Each structure stands twice: as C-alpha cells, then as structure tokens.
Amino acid sequence: MRMHEHPTINYPEYHWPAGKRCAVVFSLDLDAESPFLWLHRGQQVQQLGEIEQRRFGPRQGLARVVRLFAEYGIRGSFYVPGVVAQTYPGLLPFLLEGGHEIAHHGYYHERIEAIPVAQAEDYLVMAQELFCTQTGLSGLGHRAPSWEMTSDFLQTLERRGVSYDSSLMGFDHPYHVGNMVEVPVQWTVDDALYFRYTNSPRDKTHPANPGAVLDSWIEEFEGVRETGGLFMVTLHDWISGRSQRLRLLRKLIAHIRHDPQVWWARADEVAAWHAASPNRDLYRVPAHSINTHFESATRG
Ligand SMILES: [Zn+2]
C-alpha cells in the first residue's frame, strides 16, 4: 500500500496579500471546564479543583486577554464549544462587539475520533444552531478539540457549510485538505504545552518559565517570517489570562507589532484570502491519504 499518493517534495513560497511576508493570528480556545466534564462524562464528579481553575477563564482571564488585544488593536479568533456559549450567553456577543471572530470548537469539547461520525455531526449542528440563535451568524469556521480530525468529519464540515478548519499542521501556511481550507495550528506556539498545570496525572512537569517561552516563541516567529508562513498562536483564557502569561503576551506583541511585513489577521480572513488567491490551487492534499497502513511491513 502506498504511504502517500501526493509525492510533491517542493512547493513554491506562499503568497500573502499586499506584499506582506507572513501572517500573524492570535487564537483562543475558550474551553472553560468542558474538556474535564467530557473526560468524566457519565460520572458524578465531586472534586472542584480543576473545574474552578478552568472557570477562571470566562470569569477573569478572557476579559484580561481581550483588554490587552484592544490596547494593541488586535482582533483575535475565538473557538468556543457550544456548551460554553450556552453557559455564558453574553460571551459570543461580547467577542463580536470587540471585532473578534467566533468559531466552533465542538459542543461538549468532544474528541472527534472517539465518537461515531454521526454523533459528531449532531453536536456540530447543535453548536451551529446555538451560535445562530445567539448571534445570527452561520457558515463559521471550526477547530477540532485537541486538534484531532478524521477524513469523514472533514467531509461533514464541508457538507454543513463550515467555512474552514483550523486543526491540522501539514503546512505552515493555509492549504486544502480535500475541499476544506485548512488554517494550520502549531504545537510549538500553544500555551497549554508550557503552562497547563492542574496537579493531575496528565501534568508531566511544572509550568514553564515565561521568559524562556517568550524567547522560544520569538524564535518561531522570526523563523516563520523568514520562510513566509503563518504564525498561529493558540491560547486558552484560563491559562494565558494569568498574570505572568499576560506579561509574556504583551512582550510578544511588542516584538511583532512594528514589523511592516506582518499581516495581522483573524483566521477567517486568512482562510478567505487563501480561497480567493492563486494559493488555492498550489497546496492541495487528499483528505483520505491519512488512512493508509503498512500491510506489507507487518507481513514481514
Ligand atoms: Zn479546546
């Protein structure tokens, strides 16, 4: 069985609008306690520790990050599970008022690959209906919880009118997976990797030193600018709304903001640019090639 049916090994440089060299997107996944409750679904949960820690996000963290963005004129992309929008009905209108993008992030922060695709579709439709009721908006973008995706669900997103996906990292600039525009993410620039700490067995180490993370993220930004990619920062309000990380964010923004070669954009604007520009025909991969396996190798 073939490993990959699209054997191109060298692509042209990505073309950004107005002669810009790269794009910068600040995105937030507003999970609140939904991942914890999804993990413990069907159980009576007594402990409040992680739940309260995560609720710091919608209570205080989010407003602080949004205030910081407003100070620098940054419009972010906010991925919101349906259940979080339902719990905080003022959330989506608040974000829209600030000029930010709102997009889907599951209903219960469900892991796509862990449930039947029909159930994942039901949750997507529930989220779409709720967002439409609360804001009048449809045809929004999507980011999969925990950035896991399946080829079946990519087709579901397309059929349900989702405008783009932001869960995968096969290029460091937008591309097409099948017919879906993908606005890629990057583990290296995800706050959870460095700072997520809840004293649970999942946490392998204590929170990182923000100074070291700032150095690392600036290095990543400078590298992405050299190669002409997308610098997609992923934050969580319950993590990056904390004091020392807000200071880290301010320093990161200060480093980037005077660079005239940077296109500051929301993820939906990046997706729309990709779909309307000559880029759309240059970076296309099939959606189903991820399902191959090494038959001959296991036969020995
Ligand atoms: Zn999430």
Side-chain angles (χ1 to χ4, degrees), residues 116-143:
V117 68
Q119 192 181 357
E121 180 164 6
D122 287 348
Y123 291 155
L124 172 67
V125 171
M126 280 166 62
Q128 287 177 317
E129 287 174 358
L130 180 76
F131 276 48
C132 190
T133 303
Q134 291 188 339
T135 69
L137 296 176
S138 58
L140 299 169
H142 171 270
R143 172 174 288 169

Side-chain angles (χ1 to χ4, degrees), residues 25-200:
V25 175
F26 276 78
S27 69
L28 275 96
D29 297 354
L30 304 187
D31 298 340
E33 68 267 38
S34 62
F36 180 82
L37 296 180
W38 173 256
L39 198 66
H40 296 90
R41 61 193 180 280
Q43 301 168 21
Q44 287 291 333
V45 179
Q46 289 295 328
Q47 65 269 39
L48 277 174
E50 183 169 339
I51 287 181
E52 277 296 298
Q53 186 184 348
R54 287 174 164 280
R55 284 176 181 164
F56 168 84
R59 287 180 190 151
Q60 290 192 295
L62 173 66
R64 290 176 188 173
V65 173
V66 165
R67 215 174 299 138
L68 180 68
F69 282 4
E71 239 180 86
Y72 292 97
I74 296 172
R75 296 166 307 119
S77 295
F78 290 76
Y79 299 89
V80 187
V83 70
V84 176
Q86 183 189 349
T87 306
Y88 303 92
L91 175 61
L92 299 183
F94 167 73
L95 292 170
L96 290 175
E97 248 170 59
H100 304 295
E101 173 193 2
I102 54 165
H104 297 296
H105 193 49
Y107 199 91
Y108 297 107
H109 206 272
E110 61 277 6
R111 296 272 306 224
I112 301 299
E113 83 285 12
I115 56 175
V117 68
Q119 192 181 357
E121 180 164 6
D122 287 348
Y123 291 155
L124 172 67
V125 171
M126 280 166 62
Q128 287 177 317
E129 287 174 358
L130 180 76
F131 276 48
C132 190
T133 303
Q134 291 188 339
T135 69
L137 296 176
S138 58
L140 299 169
H142 171 270
R143 172 174 288 169
S146 310
W147 293 348
E148 196 45 89
M149 180 50 69
T150 66
S151 43
D152 283 350
F153 196 61
L154 273 176
Q155 288 173 28
T156 303
L157 294 177
E158 188 190 339
R159 197 172 62 251
R160 289 293 177 181
V162 167
S163 56
Y164 74 90
D165 179 62
S166 177
S167 314
L168 301 173
M169 44 194 99
F171 283 83
D172 68 357
H173 54 65
Y175 65 110
H176 269 88
V177 186
N179 293 320
M180 183 57 64
V181 175
E182 183 63 41
V183 180
V185 289
Q186 235 276 55
W187 286 118
T188 310
V189 211
D190 179 337
D191 63 350
L193 218 69
Y194 305 94
F195 302 121
R196 183 190 187 284
Y197 187 82
T198 63
N199 199 26
S200 81

